[in-house]
Amino acid sequence: MSLKFPNPSRSFDTSNNRVTFWGYDSVIEVSFSVEGAALVKLLPGTDETKAGYLKTFDIVKKIIYKAAETAYLQGRQRGAFSYILGTEDFK
């Protein structure tokens, strides 16, 4: 199976400065977070507020989903179902 992102929901985790979203591999839910610094790297000039981070996520979500899929495929053998994407995940 492959990872899909049918649920457009995302939320901002204020305590960790991350946007959290979910993907699905068949019936398995996989949680992802992308760090605020990574969002700024993807879209310089991002307003570093909850609204700004969520807006940037929406603008660059195709890039984020691709990085999430890569992280998942690399970690699936270990059975991981939660991933944090940082600046190093976006070349």
Side-chain angles (χ1 to χ4, degrees):
M1 287 287 166
S2 64
L3 193 62
K4 305 284 186 207
F5 299 95
N7 182 351
S9 296
R10 77 282 187 276
S11 63
F12 187 69
D13 176 354
T14 305
S15 62
N16 292 305
N17 201 40
R18 299 178 187 145
V19 174
T20 300
F21 61 103
W22 299 267
Y24 298 85
D25 183 350
S26 188
V27 297
I28 300 169
E29 182 178 78
V30 184
S31 126
F32 294 92
S33 294
V34 59
E35 295 177 338
L39 292 166
V40 171
K41 178 180 179 178
L42 289 169
L43 190 63
T46 291
D47 179 14
E48 296 184 45
T49 63
K50 174 183 176 177
Y53 287 128
L54 291 172
K55 181 178 179 180
T56 294
F57 179 92
D58 292 341
I59 291 169
V60 299
K61 68 182 168 187
K62 287 183 182 180
I63 296 168
I64 294 169
Y65 289 167
K66 182 74 172 163
E69 185 173 13
T70 298
Y72 177 71
L73 291 173
Q74 290 172 350
R76 184 165 48 183
Q77 296 80 10
R78 295 187 305 271
F81 297 106
S82 180
Y83 298 85
I84 299 170
L85 304 173
T87 56
E88 67 280 357
D89 293 297
F90 303 95
K91 308 278 189 250

